[in-house]
Amino acid sequence: MKKFIFAVFIGLLMVLTMAPVEVNAADSSELDQPLQTMAEANDLLIGTAVRYWSLENDPIYREVLAREFNVITVENMMKFSFIHPSQDEYDFTRADTIVDFAQQNDMKIRGHCLVWNQSLPSWLTEGDWSRDELIKILRDHIKTVVKHYRGQVFAWDVLNEAVAGGGRLRQTFWYQGIGQEYLGMVFRWAHQADPNALLFYNDYLCEGLNRKSDGIYDLMKKLVKYNIPIDGIGLQMHLNLDDNPTPEDITANMERLAALGLEIHVTEMTVYIWYEVTQEKLEKQAEIYRDIMEICLSVDACTTFVMWGFTDLHSHLSDNPNRGSALIFDESYQPKPAYYALVDVLKPETSSPQSK
Ligand code: GLA
């Protein structure tokens, strides 16, 4: 019985979050220029992860997305289990829908993510593969997906979260099956499939200076030294109201990565608020968005600022009752203080001393 009530509750929740919402997006005339216009003046791409179901079902989501941003990341639909659901089958339809929308609206596209320890289909994880078979599977996967989007995806998160908390290599499915050589192989295959795409390593809790970011820095140094075709690093930037790395440490980390010749993208910014949401917490959240945008503008190598969603209505946390409100528009598409903090940093009067 409990299971049944839970299933009904989840069902209702899904219907509610997927249904078109009858709210008015903030009238753009009330706002300053859209974020993308101000970002362009700072030579910066600004964007968001895009959810397939929200894009399909909510016209206001589409409207605000197209108005505000000039780059998107495909949130889930390029992950292994979605795009390669059985061994001989690739399913590009949903990812293509997002890519088409982005192209129609002159947005650049970040591909996410080719190699990760999560979102792996059971045909893969439950198979009994030899090392050579796994190499072939991963090579075919990367080459097929990257070729499909050749010339369309300008930057790929090739390798996601391959380093563990202490800074050592994470014991992932791929590491265990292939060995550490997989780290270089995956970038080479992606480069062969699209020599013009920028190739990124992407990770979390490595924004400031700590054991994990030291480990990642060492790994990046090795990849560069051995001429692995890697162009940049994605700092996910999933932050909280408290307990974040200091702005000084984030800047120092970006600078040392940039000194290796790497481009830096902020790839998944969120600032989680534990309920209850109060005005004070929203103001604090805004300060954190402001700090990260200021840092990105101050570091030449930081060229792209992407958030993991833009409205709390379609957040990846909207089914979590304790944590949420992480984004810059509220559930009615009204800009939050965090939105105005970004405007404040990007608008011409304040951004000119920092612009690149
Ligand atoms: C990681 C992944 C993303 C997404 C987020 C959700 O950061 O890279 O694809 O799943 O977690 O928090």
Side-chain angles (χ1 to χ4, degrees):
M1 185 62 182
K2 270 190 193 151
K3 269 190 188 159
F4 174 74
I5 295 176
F6 182 70
V8 171
F9 174 71
I10 294 294
L12 264 174
L13 213 85
M14 284 178 72
V15 169
L16 281 174
T17 52
M18 281 160 49
V21 258
E22 302 211 356
V23 288
N24 291 320
D27 177 355
S28 47
S29 62
E30 286 169 16
L31 302 175
D32 242 327
Q33 299 159 327
L35 289 173
Q36 61 167 315
T37 310
M38 288 178 274
E40 267 156 30
N42 288 279
D43 274 341
L44 182 79
L45 293 174
I46 189 162
T48 172
V50 173
R51 307 208 109 172
Y52 173 75
W53 297 108
S54 313
L55 189 73
E56 282 289 89
N57 294 304
D58 182 351
I60 302 176
Y61 183 92
R62 294 197 288 275
E63 180 198 318
V64 178
L65 176 62
R67 185 186 71 220
E68 294 293 333
F69 304 111
N70 53 14
V71 60
I72 60 121
T73 298
V74 178
E75 187 190 55
N76 291 318
M77 292 302 153
M78 288 180 177
K79 290 178 178 171
F80 206 123
S81 58
F82 288 97
I83 212 160
H84 195 168
S86 56
Q87 192 171 1
D88 300 319
E89 183 203 353
Y90 286 86
D91 181 357
F92 296 108
T93 47
R94 290 176 176 161
D96 283 356
T97 302
I98 300 175
V99 166
D100 288 347
F101 179 87
Q103 287 178 329
Q104 281 157 18
N105 290 285
D106 289 328
M107 300 159 121
K108 291 205 167 209
I109 299 149
R110 299 192 81 261
H112 174 87
C113 49
L114 296 168
V115 185
W116 192 24
N117 198 35
Q118 294 184 38
S119 199
L120 295 173
S122 53
W123 69 261
L124 179 62
T125 53
E126 285 166 17
D128 182 18
W129 312 104
S130 69
R131 178 174 186 271
D132 283 350
E133 284 169 334
L134 272 186
I135 289 177
K136 182 174 180 333
I137 289 172
L138 189 54
R139 184 178 56 224
D140 289 352
H141 175 80
I142 291 177
K143 290 206 167 181
T144 306
V145 175
V146 174
K147 270 187 195 153
H148 183 84
Y149 293 109
R150 183 157 52 194
Q152 303 185 77
V153 164
F154 89 106
W156 275 104
D157 289 332
V158 175
L159 184 56
N160 202 30
E161 304 175 356
V163 174
R168 305 176 77 118
L169 289 178
R170 194 185 286 277
Q171 298 291 309
T172 66
F173 176 79
W174 301 112
Y175 179 92
Q176 284 170 341
I178 300 178
Q180 64 175 347
E181 306 86 277
Y182 91 100
L183 298 165
M185 290 173 174
V186 298
F187 285 97
R188 289 210 172 94
W189 294 328
H191 184 64
Q192 286 159 10
D194 185 354
N196 293 322
L198 298 174
L199 305 182
F200 278 70
Y201 176 78
N202 188 48
D203 215 327
Y204 66 99
L205 288 183
C206 58
E207 290 77 10
L209 298 173
N210 55 36
R211 282 170 64 198
K212 181 167 178 177
S213 68
D214 287 349
I216 290 176
Y217 174 72
D218 289 343
L219 173 62
M220 296 301 108
K221 209 150 99 182
K222 279 191 198 128
L223 294 178
V224 169
K225 180 171 165 204
Y226 290 109
N227 289 321
I228 302 298
I230 179 168
D231 300 286
I233 178 150
L235 302 178
Q236 293 186 5
M237 214 64 79
H238 291 293
L239 302 179
N240 290 292
L241 289 188
D242 305 294
D243 216 16
N244 292 319
T246 63
E248 293 72 27
D249 279 6
I250 298 175
T251 308
N253 191 37
M254 283 191 184
E255 301 275 10
R256 69 174 171 171
L257 291 162
L260 297 176
L262 297 176
E263 187 167 329
I264 294 161
H265 289 184
V266 172
T267 48
E268 307 187 13
M269 180 146 185
T270 47
V271 181
Y272 300 120
I273 296 183
W274 292 85
Y275 286 142
E276 293 287 315
V277 177
T278 60
Q279 190 57 30
E280 195 187 340
K281 288 184 186 175
L282 290 172
E283 301 293 342
K284 194 159 180 200
Q285 179 183 55
E287 287 315 304
I288 297 167
Y289 272 97
R290 173 196 299 275
D291 285 349
I292 303 302
M293 181 55 87
E294 277 177 348
I295 293 168
C296 184
L297 288 189
S298 74
V299 175
D300 275 352
C302 184
T303 58
T304 299
F305 182 99
V306 175
M307 295 161 277
W308 207 244
F310 61 97
T311 164
D312 291 334
L313 183 65
H314 297 287
S315 149
H316 70 290
L317 293 171
S318 37
D319 53 356
N320 182 334
N322 295 318
R323 222 157 61 125
S325 294
L327 304 170
I328 60 172
F329 287 90
D330 70 12
E331 295 183 355
S332 308
Y333 289 100
Q334 296 306 308
K336 291 162 63 178
Y339 177 94
Y340 290 111
L342 295 185
V343 169
D344 208 35
V345 182
L346 289 171
K347 71 183 180 205
E349 303 86 77
T350 56
S351 61
S352 47
Q354 292 165 324
S355 51
K356 301 173 212 165

PDB file of all heavy atoms in Angstrom, residues 178-203:
ATOM      1  N   ILE A 178      39.820  -1.279 -18.108  1.00  0.00           N
ATOM      2  CA  ILE A 178      40.831  -0.975 -19.139  1.00  0.00           C
ATOM      3  C   ILE A 178      42.188  -0.633 -18.510  1.00  0.00           C
ATOM      4  O   ILE A 178      43.239  -0.911 -19.078  1.00  0.00           O
ATOM      5  CB  ILE A 178      40.351   0.200 -20.036  1.00  0.00           C
ATOM      6  CG1 ILE A 178      39.034  -0.167 -20.728  1.00  0.00           C
ATOM      7  CG2 ILE A 178      41.407   0.587 -21.062  1.00  0.00           C
ATOM      8  CD1 ILE A 178      38.436   0.932 -21.602  1.00  0.00           C
ATOM      9  N   GLY A 179      42.155  -0.041 -17.327  1.00  0.00           N
ATOM     10  CA  GLY A 179      43.406   0.443 -16.726  1.00  0.00           C
ATOM     11  C   GLY A 179      43.561   1.927 -17.010  1.00  0.00           C
ATOM     12  O   GLY A 179      42.796   2.508 -17.797  1.00  0.00           O
ATOM     13  N   GLN A 180      44.573   2.553 -16.392  1.00  0.00           N
ATOM     14  CA  GLN A 180      44.635   4.024 -16.474  1.00  0.00           C
ATOM     15  C   GLN A 180      44.898   4.554 -17.886  1.00  0.00           C
ATOM     16  O   GLN A 180      44.693   5.737 -18.149  1.00  0.00           O
ATOM     17  CB  GLN A 180      45.631   4.583 -15.474  1.00  0.00           C
ATOM     18  CG  GLN A 180      47.048   4.164 -15.713  1.00  0.00           C
ATOM     19  CD  GLN A 180      47.984   4.871 -14.728  1.00  0.00           C
ATOM     20  OE1 GLN A 180      47.590   5.814 -14.064  1.00  0.00           O
ATOM     21  NE2 GLN A 180      49.210   4.410 -14.650  1.00  0.00           N
ATOM     22  N   GLU A 181      45.305   3.679 -18.783  1.00  0.00           N
ATOM     23  CA  GLU A 181      45.507   4.158 -20.171  1.00  0.00           C
ATOM     24  C   GLU A 181      44.216   4.707 -20.782  1.00  0.00           C
ATOM     25  O   GLU A 181      44.252   5.460 -21.738  1.00  0.00           O
ATOM     26  CB  GLU A 181      46.011   3.028 -21.085  1.00  0.00           C
ATOM     27  CG  GLU A 181      47.233   2.301 -20.626  1.00  0.00           C
ATOM     28  CD  GLU A 181      46.892   1.157 -19.683  1.00  0.00           C
ATOM     29  OE1 GLU A 181      46.714   1.438 -18.485  1.00  0.00           O
ATOM     30  OE2 GLU A 181      46.799   0.007 -20.127  1.00  0.00           O
ATOM     31  N   TYR A 182      43.071   4.337 -20.210  1.00  0.00           N
ATOM     32  CA  TYR A 182      41.810   4.831 -20.802  1.00  0.00           C
ATOM     33  C   TYR A 182      41.758   6.356 -20.783  1.00  0.00           C
ATOM     34  O   TYR A 182      41.132   6.980 -21.634  1.00  0.00           O
ATOM     35  CB  TYR A 182      40.591   4.213 -20.095  1.00  0.00           C
ATOM     36  CG  TYR A 182      40.027   4.975 -18.914  1.00  0.00           C
ATOM     37  CD1 TYR A 182      38.902   5.788 -19.048  1.00  0.00           C
ATOM     38  CD2 TYR A 182      40.603   4.882 -17.642  1.00  0.00           C
ATOM     39  CE1 TYR A 182      38.364   6.469 -17.965  1.00  0.00           C
ATOM     40  CE2 TYR A 182      40.076   5.562 -16.555  1.00  0.00           C
ATOM     41  CZ  TYR A 182      38.958   6.359 -16.722  1.00  0.00           C
ATOM     42  OH  TYR A 182      38.435   7.051 -15.653  1.00  0.00           O
ATOM     43  N   LEU A 183      42.474   6.967 -19.822  1.00  0.00           N
ATOM     44  CA  LEU A 183      42.422   8.425 -19.680  1.00  0.00           C
ATOM     45  C   LEU A 183      42.901   9.145 -20.944  1.00  0.00           C
ATOM     46  O   LEU A 183      42.325  10.144 -21.359  1.00  0.00           O
ATOM     47  CB  LEU A 183      43.288   8.859 -18.496  1.00  0.00           C
ATOM     48  CG  LEU A 183      42.854   8.316 -17.128  1.00  0.00           C
ATOM     49  CD1 LEU A 183      43.962   8.493 -16.111  1.00  0.00           C
ATOM     50  CD2 LEU A 183      41.581   9.007 -16.674  1.00  0.00           C
ATOM     51  N   GLY A 184      43.959   8.635 -21.535  1.00  0.00           N
ATOM     52  CA  GLY A 184      44.470   9.251 -22.757  1.00  0.00           C
ATOM     53  C   GLY A 184      43.706   8.804 -23.988  1.00  0.00           C
ATOM     54  O   GLY A 184      43.443   9.591 -24.906  1.00  0.00           O
ATOM     55  N   MET A 185      43.337   7.506 -23.990  1.00  0.00           N
ATOM     56  CA  MET A 185      42.638   6.961 -25.170  1.00  0.00           C
ATOM     57  C   MET A 185      41.386   7.763 -25.498  1.00  0.00           C
ATOM     58  O   MET A 185      41.112   8.074 -26.651  1.00  0.00           O
ATOM     59  CB  MET A 185      42.178   5.521 -24.884  1.00  0.00           C
ATOM     60  CG  MET A 185      43.277   4.494 -24.800  1.00  0.00           C
ATOM     61  SD  MET A 185      42.536   2.917 -24.251  1.00  0.00           S
ATOM     62  CE  MET A 185      43.941   1.837 -24.393  1.00  0.00           C
ATOM     63  N   VAL A 186      40.604   8.102 -24.470  1.00  0.00           N
ATOM     64  CA  VAL A 186      39.286   8.686 -24.740  1.00  0.00           C
ATOM     65  C   VAL A 186      39.411  10.057 -25.409  1.00  0.00           C
ATOM     66  O   VAL A 186      38.611  10.410 -26.291  1.00  0.00           O
ATOM     67  CB  VAL A 186      38.408   8.732 -23.474  1.00  0.00           C
ATOM     68  CG1 VAL A 186      38.146   7.330 -22.968  1.00  0.00           C
ATOM     69  CG2 VAL A 186      39.011   9.590 -22.359  1.00  0.00           C
ATOM     70  N   PHE A 187      40.434  10.816 -25.016  1.00  0.00           N
ATOM     71  CA  PHE A 187      40.624  12.119 -25.670  1.00  0.00           C
ATOM     72  C   PHE A 187      41.097  11.929 -27.115  1.00  0.00           C
ATOM     73  O   PHE A 187      40.681  12.655 -28.019  1.00  0.00           O
ATOM     74  CB  PHE A 187      41.621  12.969 -24.875  1.00  0.00           C
ATOM     75  CG  PHE A 187      41.020  13.536 -23.603  1.00  0.00           C
ATOM     76  CD1 PHE A 187      41.210  12.901 -22.383  1.00  0.00           C
ATOM     77  CD2 PHE A 187      40.239  14.683 -23.640  1.00  0.00           C
ATOM     78  CE1 PHE A 187      40.635  13.401 -21.217  1.00  0.00           C
ATOM     79  CE2 PHE A 187      39.657  15.190 -22.487  1.00  0.00           C
ATOM     80  CZ  PHE A 187      39.861  14.542 -21.262  1.00  0.00           C
ATOM     81  N   ARG A 188      41.957  10.932 -27.339  1.00  0.00           N
ATOM     82  CA  ARG A 188      42.450  10.702 -28.715  1.00  0.00           C
ATOM     83  C   ARG A 188      41.306  10.314 -29.629  1.00  0.00           C
ATOM     84  O   ARG A 188      41.185  10.813 -30.755  1.00  0.00           O
ATOM     85  CB  ARG A 188      43.505   9.603 -28.713  1.00  0.00           C
ATOM     86  CG  ARG A 188      44.804  10.047 -28.073  1.00  0.00           C
ATOM     87  CD  ARG A 188      46.003   9.313 -28.710  1.00  0.00           C
ATOM     88  NE  ARG A 188      47.235   9.891 -28.227  1.00  0.00           N
ATOM     89  CZ  ARG A 188      47.920   9.423 -27.177  1.00  0.00           C
ATOM     90  NH1 ARG A 188      47.506   8.343 -26.534  1.00  0.00           N
ATOM     91  NH2 ARG A 188      49.028  10.016 -26.797  1.00  0.00           N
ATOM     92  N   TRP A 189      40.444   9.408 -29.165  1.00  0.00           N
ATOM     93  CA  TRP A 189      39.320   8.977 -30.018  1.00  0.00           C
ATOM     94  C   TRP A 189      38.379  10.148 -30.316  1.00  0.00           C
ATOM     95  O   TRP A 189      37.916  10.310 -31.444  1.00  0.00           O
ATOM     96  CB  TRP A 189      38.535   7.853 -29.329  1.00  0.00           C
ATOM     97  CG  TRP A 189      39.313   6.587 -29.166  1.00  0.00           C
ATOM     98  CD1 TRP A 189      40.273   6.097 -30.001  1.00  0.00           C
ATOM     99  CD2 TRP A 189      39.202   5.648 -28.089  1.00  0.00           C
ATOM    100  NE1 TRP A 189      40.769   4.913 -29.507  1.00  0.00           N
ATOM    101  CE2 TRP A 189      40.127   4.605 -28.345  1.00  0.00           C
ATOM    102  CE3 TRP A 189      38.415   5.559 -26.937  1.00  0.00           C
ATOM    103  CZ2 TRP A 189      40.276   3.503 -27.495  1.00  0.00           C
ATOM    104  CZ3 TRP A 189      38.556   4.467 -26.085  1.00  0.00           C
ATOM    105  CH2 TRP A 189      39.484   3.463 -26.363  1.00  0.00           C
ATOM    106  N   ALA A 190      38.110  10.947 -29.291  1.00  0.00           N
ATOM    107  CA  ALA A 190      37.207  12.088 -29.513  1.00  0.00           C
ATOM    108  C   ALA A 190      37.829  13.052 -30.523  1.00  0.00           C
ATOM    109  O   ALA A 190      37.150  13.578 -31.412  1.00  0.00           O
ATOM    110  CB  ALA A 190      36.917  12.796 -28.189  1.00  0.00           C
ATOM    111  N   HIS A 191      39.132  13.254 -30.393  1.00  0.00           N
ATOM    112  CA  HIS A 191      39.818  14.174 -31.313  1.00  0.00           C
ATOM    113  C   HIS A 191      39.801  13.644 -32.744  1.00  0.00           C
ATOM    114  O   HIS A 191      39.590  14.405 -33.699  1.00  0.00           O
ATOM    115  CB  HIS A 191      41.255  14.379 -30.834  1.00  0.00           C
ATOM    116  CG  HIS A 191      42.010  15.377 -31.645  1.00  0.00           C
ATOM    117  ND1 HIS A 191      41.663  16.705 -31.708  1.00  0.00           N
ATOM    118  CD2 HIS A 191      43.095  15.231 -32.451  1.00  0.00           C
ATOM    119  CE1 HIS A 191      42.496  17.336 -32.516  1.00  0.00           C
ATOM    120  NE2 HIS A 191      43.381  16.466 -32.983  1.00  0.00           N
ATOM    121  N   GLN A 192      39.982  12.321 -32.882  1.00  0.00           N
ATOM    122  CA  GLN A 192      39.927  11.746 -34.241  1.00  0.00           C
ATOM    123  C   GLN A 192      38.538  11.934 -34.854  1.00  0.00           C
ATOM    124  O   GLN A 192      38.391  12.164 -36.045  1.00  0.00           O
ATOM    125  CB  GLN A 192      40.272  10.253 -34.198  1.00  0.00           C
ATOM    126  CG  GLN A 192      41.765  10.004 -33.985  1.00  0.00           C
ATOM    127  CD  GLN A 192      42.055   8.609 -33.431  1.00  0.00           C
ATOM    128  OE1 GLN A 192      41.173   7.752 -33.361  1.00  0.00           O
ATOM    129  NE2 GLN A 192      43.294   8.384 -33.012  1.00  0.00           N
ATOM    130  N   ALA A 193      37.520  11.840 -34.022  1.00  0.00           N
ATOM    131  CA  ALA A 193      36.147  11.924 -34.547  1.00  0.00           C
ATOM    132  C   ALA A 193      35.736  13.355 -34.888  1.00  0.00           C
ATOM    133  O   ALA A 193      34.908  13.562 -35.775  1.00  0.00           O
ATOM    134  CB  ALA A 193      35.171  11.332 -33.529  1.00  0.00           C
ATOM    135  N   ASP A 194      36.272  14.328 -34.194  1.00  0.00           N
ATOM    136  CA  ASP A 194      36.007  15.732 -34.531  1.00  0.00           C
ATOM    137  C   ASP A 194      37.208  16.580 -34.104  1.00  0.00           C
ATOM    138  O   ASP A 194      37.262  17.096 -32.986  1.00  0.00           O
ATOM    139  CB  ASP A 194      34.730  16.243 -33.841  1.00  0.00           C
ATOM    140  CG  ASP A 194      34.409  17.664 -34.305  1.00  0.00           C
ATOM    141  OD1 ASP A 194      35.224  18.264 -35.048  1.00  0.00           O
ATOM    142  OD2 ASP A 194      33.331  18.186 -33.934  1.00  0.00           O
ATOM    143  N   PRO A 195      38.157  16.766 -35.032  1.00  0.00           N
ATOM    144  CA  PRO A 195      39.391  17.486 -34.679  1.00  0.00           C
ATOM    145  C   PRO A 195      39.148  18.937 -34.276  1.00  0.00           C
ATOM    146  O   PRO A 195      40.014  19.558 -33.666  1.00  0.00           O
ATOM    147  CB  PRO A 195      40.219  17.432 -35.974  1.00  0.00           C
ATOM    148  CG  PRO A 195      39.590  16.368 -36.813  1.00  0.00           C
ATOM    149  CD  PRO A 195      38.157  16.253 -36.405  1.00  0.00           C
ATOM    150  N   ASN A 196      37.985  19.484 -34.611  1.00  0.00           N
ATOM    151  CA  ASN A 196      37.740  20.890 -34.263  1.00  0.00           C
ATOM    152  C   ASN A 196      37.028  21.095 -32.937  1.00  0.00           C
ATOM    153  O   ASN A 196      36.916  22.222 -32.465  1.00  0.00           O
ATOM    154  CB  ASN A 196      36.906  21.569 -35.362  1.00  0.00           C
ATOM    155  CG  ASN A 196      37.691  21.671 -36.647  1.00  0.00           C
ATOM    156  OD1 ASN A 196      38.896  21.916 -36.613  1.00  0.00           O
ATOM    157  ND2 ASN A 196      37.032  21.440 -37.769  1.00  0.00           N
ATOM    158  N   ALA A 197      36.507  20.027 -32.354  1.00  0.00           N
ATOM    159  CA  ALA A 197      35.792  20.203 -31.085  1.00  0.00           C
ATOM    160  C   ALA A 197      36.800  20.414 -29.956  1.00  0.00           C
ATOM    161  O   ALA A 197      37.884  19.826 -29.956  1.00  0.00           O
ATOM    162  CB  ALA A 197      34.932  18.976 -30.796  1.00  0.00           C
ATOM    163  N   LEU A 198      36.427  21.261 -28.999  1.00  0.00           N
ATOM    164  CA  LEU A 198      37.261  21.443 -27.811  1.00  0.00           C
ATOM    165  C   LEU A 198      36.950  20.308 -26.838  1.00  0.00           C
ATOM    166  O   LEU A 198      35.784  19.981 -26.603  1.00  0.00           O
ATOM    167  CB  LEU A 198      36.940  22.785 -27.142  1.00  0.00           C
ATOM    168  CG  LEU A 198      37.212  24.028 -27.980  1.00  0.00           C
ATOM    169  CD1 LEU A 198      36.713  25.275 -27.244  1.00  0.00           C
ATOM    170  CD2 LEU A 198      38.706  24.148 -28.283  1.00  0.00           C
ATOM    171  N   LEU A 199      37.993  19.733 -26.269  1.00  0.00           N
ATOM    172  CA  LEU A 199      37.809  18.547 -25.428  1.00  0.00           C
ATOM    173  C   LEU A 199      38.140  18.863 -23.965  1.00  0.00           C
ATOM    174  O   LEU A 199      39.216  19.394 -23.663  1.00  0.00           O
ATOM    175  CB  LEU A 199      38.681  17.405 -25.954  1.00  0.00           C
ATOM    176  CG  LEU A 199      38.469  17.055 -27.442  1.00  0.00           C
ATOM    177  CD1 LEU A 199      39.343  15.874 -27.850  1.00  0.00           C
ATOM    178  CD2 LEU A 199      36.994  16.775 -27.760  1.00  0.00           C
ATOM    179  N   PHE A 200      37.199  18.516 -23.087  1.00  0.00           N
ATOM    180  CA  PHE A 200      37.293  18.908 -21.669  1.00  0.00           C
ATOM    181  C   PHE A 200      37.308  17.721 -20.717  1.00  0.00           C
ATOM    182  O   PHE A 200      36.653  16.708 -20.961  1.00  0.00           O
ATOM    183  CB  PHE A 200      36.089  19.796 -21.291  1.00  0.00           C
ATOM    184  CG  PHE A 200      36.271  21.224 -21.685  1.00  0.00           C
ATOM    185  CD1 PHE A 200      36.255  21.598 -23.027  1.00  0.00           C
ATOM    186  CD2 PHE A 200      36.485  22.194 -20.727  1.00  0.00           C
ATOM    187  CE1 PHE A 200      36.451  22.911 -23.400  1.00  0.00           C
ATOM    188  CE2 PHE A 200      36.679  23.512 -21.091  1.00  0.00           C
ATOM    189  CZ  PHE A 200      36.664  23.869 -22.426  1.00  0.00           C
ATOM    190  N   TYR A 201      38.029  17.921 -19.612  1.00  0.00           N
ATOM    191  CA  TYR A 201      37.870  17.101 -18.420  1.00  0.00           C
ATOM    192  C   TYR A 201      36.935  17.872 -17.482  1.00  0.00           C
ATOM    193  O   TYR A 201      37.064  19.093 -17.345  1.00  0.00           O
ATOM    194  CB  TYR A 201      39.229  16.870 -17.729  1.00  0.00           C
ATOM    195  CG  TYR A 201      39.044  16.100 -16.445  1.00  0.00           C
ATOM    196  CD1 TYR A 201      38.839  14.730 -16.484  1.00  0.00           C
ATOM    197  CD2 TYR A 201      38.998  16.752 -15.203  1.00  0.00           C
ATOM    198  CE1 TYR A 201      38.603  14.015 -15.312  1.00  0.00           C
ATOM    199  CE2 TYR A 201      38.766  16.044 -14.033  1.00  0.00           C
ATOM    200  CZ  TYR A 201      38.561  14.677 -14.098  1.00  0.00           C
ATOM    201  OH  TYR A 201      38.304  13.975 -12.949  1.00  0.00           O
ATOM    202  N   ASN A 202      35.982  17.192 -16.824  1.00  0.00           N
ATOM    203  CA  ASN A 202      34.966  17.893 -16.019  1.00  0.00           C
ATOM    204  C   ASN A 202      34.834  17.226 -14.646  1.00  0.00           C
ATOM    205  O   ASN A 202      34.731  16.006 -14.550  1.00  0.00           O
ATOM    206  CB  ASN A 202      33.634  17.791 -16.782  1.00  0.00           C
ATOM    207  CG  ASN A 202      32.518  18.622 -16.189  1.00  0.00           C
ATOM    208  OD1 ASN A 202      32.720  19.807 -15.887  1.00  0.00           O
ATOM    209  ND2 ASN A 202      31.341  18.030 -16.010  1.00  0.00           N
ATOM    210  N   ASP A 203      34.819  18.045 -13.567  1.00  0.00           N
ATOM    211  CA  ASP A 203      34.708  17.427 -12.234  1.00  0.00           C
ATOM    212  C   ASP A 203      34.151  18.421 -11.212  1.00  0.00           C
ATOM    213  O   ASP A 203      34.001  19.620 -11.502  1.00  0.00           O
ATOM    214  CB  ASP A 203      36.081  16.893 -11.787  1.00  0.00           C
ATOM    215  CG  ASP A 203      35.952  15.608 -10.969  1.00  0.00           C
ATOM    216  OD1 ASP A 203      34.954  15.446 -10.241  1.00  0.00           O
ATOM    217  OD2 ASP A 203      36.873  14.769 -11.055  1.00  0.00           O
TER     218      ASP A 203
END
